[in-house]
Amino acid sequence: MSIEKTDVLIVGSGFGGSITAYHLAAGGAEVVLLERGPWLQTNDFEHDFLLGSSYTRAFDFVVGDGMSVLGGNCVGGGSVVYFAAMPRAPKFVFDRHGSIGRRMWPSAISRDSLDPWYDRVAESLPVSQQDWRDVSYSGGLWAAACHHSGRTANPAPVAIDNDRCTNCNWMMGGCRFDAKRSLLTNYLPAALAHGAQIRPLHEVQRLSRTDDGGYRVEFNVIDDEDYRIHTGSGAIEAKIVVLAAGAGATPVILQRSESTLGTMPYAVGRYFSGNGERLNTAVINEDRVRDVLGLSREDGVPYEANQIGKGPTVANWDRLDGSLPEYSRYSLEQLYFPPGLGTILAQVPNGSEPAWFGAEKKEMLKRWRSWLTIFLMTEDDNEGVFGPPPPTGNAHRISQQMLGRGPLAYDPTENTRHGWALADADVKEILERDGIATVAPWTNDVVGAYTVHPLASCRIGDDPRTSALSADHELRGHPGIFVTDGSAVPGALTVNPAMTIAALAERAVPGIVQAARARGVDVTYGAPAPDGATSARRGTLRLVPSRTGESR
């Protein structure tokens, strides 16, 4: 069997994969990117939840033991299904100790040192700061409730073209109006323009070493309709491998590769973080919205606008205060979570007992237009651990699309539960003041805790005992393998992590270029933003190693 060869093989097309693919291809390297999911175009994004629609094709929902992970499964990865909120992590995050009792992040990385790389991402997508004219009505309601309770509220920075946005609130199933600036609109087309090859429905299984010091990457080809079916297999050899399959899949690939690569760092598949996430649903009292907050829509309805607008537009950041003790800092963000899990896991406020079905839940569902969902991002203890990998893929596939059973185990510590309790109480105090709403957290009884922002399962750090990667994202003991997805982030960020994952990927590229050049790849570093902008690039030149052949 003939084995295909390339300079760089990238696994996954989310932020970590797309950003590295663009820069390496623009620098002259031969790049092949393998993506597990399908390649959906703008017109493929459908406004329904039927099996086989873009909604089920583009997601990967893996149920573990105590934790379930919802992520992207398509070309563009999580950027296709995210809500495009792009805040930068607070300064205190980089000094967190977490469960190890000392600073988790590498000494080389702080908020100040990462800011130039944040700037590059902001220019490339681009990211803009919304004002109050841009927020959704549900965001405005959340802001009014925060103000009424003596709190502040902030329009969130987003990667959204508000001139294109129709406020359809189907962002989680992909944007058919190209208003959401997913990677399909910037880094990926730019990578293609520079010769990168993107191959959808290719699920990487394991890595092994080649005689010349490179790596062989084995994959299965996945059926376009039933992801349980493999229609073929193959292998590609590369001098550099970049793993960016997501925090729920990258460690599984490495664990499965241990028999062929050799011993993995201890932290591979450990220290998983769900970004401390939790959801609360409030059932709004329409009369109190009018009488207490003085709000109404043009048609005279006080609220009933849960489904109108777009994802997070307003956040409360009062508790993002570095002077507060660890595990007591969090953000509270208005969020539209569409039907499906949002209706199953949402709880009846003041119900007789926690339940995900029953008469009380049925009555609550009748008022779904009056719901307001609040997304809590707290500080957890990195409790997640991945067990033995399944035979193929990152999970045992249960349904033909979307649903699987994975090897992740998660038992929240008292620290994590303390953060959840504080944030739950804060939401309740804000929204139940003067009878505006009744509030209850989602249940953990059905699928355990849950996250849409998995992190830290192969994290960077200075200490080999507690980090899988060095500060430049190279896998310890395995030169030439880099990890640039959310699994590299050391711990919970207390805000949406996409901006930080992307900034870290931008920061990692010069080191990957340097490693590729050392392995004989003729590649340089210094490409502008995907649209040709260069102002943010100039801000990072002093941070780039001098041996990357950068073009200035």
Side-chain angles (χ1 to χ4, degrees), residues 244-435:
T250 288
V252 179
I253 293 170
L254 290 175
Q255 287 176 321
R256 190 183 295 117
S257 302
E258 193 160 26
S259 61
T260 51
L261 283 180
T263 303
M264 286 291 121
Y266 175 80
V268 169
R270 291 182 171 86
Y271 303 112
F272 173 92
S273 167
N275 201 34
E277 291 176 357
R278 192 162 168 83
L279 285 144
N280 279 219
T281 294
V283 180
I284 302 298
N285 183 318
E286 297 285 334
D287 291 337
R288 301 304 285 168
V289 166
R290 180 186 61 246
D291 298 341
V292 175
L293 300 181
L295 299 180
S296 66
R297 288 164 38 205
E298 291 181 357
D299 56 7
V301 176
Y303 176 53
E304 287 191 349
N306 183 49
Q307 78 283 15
I308 302 170
K310 44 182 170 281
T313 58
V314 174
N316 171 272
W317 291 327
D318 290 351
R319 298 287 296 192
L320 298 184
D321 180 350
S323 68
L324 296 173
E326 197 167 359
Y327 305 106
S328 66
R329 301 170 296 200
Y330 50 81
S331 61
L332 308 174
E333 189 174 77
Q334 154 268 331
L335 175 70
Y336 172 69
F337 209 101
L341 288 176
T343 51
I344 294 171
L345 300 181
Q347 291 295 285
V348 179
N350 303 321
S352 56
E353 61 181 14
W356 56 281
F357 62 91
E360 291 177 315
K361 183 64 173 288
K362 184 176 181 180
E363 289 303 310
M364 178 186 174
L365 289 173
K366 291 178 180 179
R367 299 193 55 208
W368 67 272
R369 290 184 179 84
S370 294
W371 289 10
L372 179 67
T373 305
I374 305 301
F375 189 35
L376 289 53
M377 288 168 278
T378 71
E379 295 171 301
D380 69 6
D381 240 347
N382 291 79
E383 300 99 319
V385 178
F386 284 82
T392 64
N394 67 311
H396 297 277
R397 290 285 158 198
I398 296 173
S399 63
Q400 68 182 57
Q401 294 172 11
M402 193 171 177
L403 182 60
R405 176 74 178 175
L408 175 61
Y410 188 87
D411 185 11
T413 67
E414 286 304 311
N415 285 332
T416 298
R417 294 179 185 277
H418 173 71
W420 287 346
L422 288 177
D424 285 345
D426 215 0
V427 174
K428 191 175 184 69
E429 184 178 343
I430 292 169
L431 286 172
E432 292 193 350
R433 181 177 291 247
D434 292 328

Side-chain angles (χ1 to χ4, degrees), residues 31-288:
V31 175
V32 175
L33 188 155
L34 303 183
E35 164 58 47
R36 173 183 60 186
W39 197 335
L40 302 175
Q41 307 294 329
T42 300
N43 292 336
D44 294 326
F45 297 126
E46 301 161 275
H47 288 182
D48 65 50
F49 301 100
L50 297 176
L51 180 64
S53 70
S54 61
Y55 191 78
T56 63
R57 294 178 68 199
F59 271 112
D60 185 46
F61 184 63
V62 177
V63 179
D65 181 9
M67 170 65 75
S68 295
V69 178
L70 182 65
N73 181 57
C74 56
V75 173
S79 77
V80 174
V81 297
Y82 79 151
F83 287 113
M86 297 294 279
R88 305 183 185 201
K91 285 189 175 184
F92 67 79
V93 160
F94 300 93
D95 293 318
R96 285 196 62 212
H97 286 198
S99 60
I100 63 174
R102 59 187 177 280
R103 193 176 190 270
M104 292 189 290
W105 284 77
S107 58
I109 301 179
S110 66
R111 167 60 189 271
D112 289 341
S113 71
L114 200 58
D115 264 333
W117 304 104
Y118 277 131
D119 292 342
R120 293 204 65 160
V121 178
E123 181 178 69
S124 297
L125 293 180
V127 174
S128 59
Q129 177 62 54
Q130 297 187 113
D131 63 30
W132 290 109
R133 295 170 296 180
D134 301 317
V135 305
S136 64
Y137 190 78
S138 53
L141 174 59
W142 172 237
C146 287
H147 178 73
H148 179 69
S149 67
R151 311 313 208 278
T152 66
N154 309 270
V158 295
I160 297 173
D161 182 345
N162 281 306
D163 291 335
R164 288 176 174 264
C165 183
T166 65
N167 290 309
C168 69
N169 235 336
W170 279 88
M171 294 174 68
M172 202 169 175
C175 182
R176 65 184 302 159
F177 306 106
D178 283 338
K180 180 169 64 176
R181 289 162 174 149
S182 75
L183 296 164
L184 297 174
T185 68
N186 37 72
Y187 284 100
L188 283 174
L192 286 169
H194 286 283
Q197 299 180 46
I198 300 174
R199 301 180 187 177
L201 300 169
H202 282 59
E203 184 176 66
V204 168
Q205 303 304 317
R206 64 177 51 82
L207 282 64
S208 58
R209 283 191 170 82
T210 59
D211 293 338
D212 62 0
Y215 295 94
R216 177 175 296 177
V217 179
E218 300 175 26
F219 59 84
N220 290 333
V221 181
I222 306 300
D223 184 76
D224 187 36
E225 291 187 4
D226 191 336
Y227 297 163
R228 298 168 297 187
I229 298 173
H230 300 158
T231 62
S233 61
I236 300 175
E237 292 182 357
K239 298 172 182 177
I240 294 287
V241 174
V242 178
L243 291 174
T250 288
V252 179
I253 293 170
L254 290 175
Q255 287 176 321
R256 190 183 295 117
S257 302
E258 193 160 26
S259 61
T260 51
L261 283 180
T263 303
M264 286 291 121
Y266 175 80
V268 169
R270 291 182 171 86
Y271 303 112
F272 173 92
S273 167
N275 201 34
E277 291 176 357
R278 192 162 168 83
L279 285 144
N280 279 219
T281 294
V283 180
I284 302 298
N285 183 318
E286 297 285 334
D287 291 337
R288 301 304 285 168

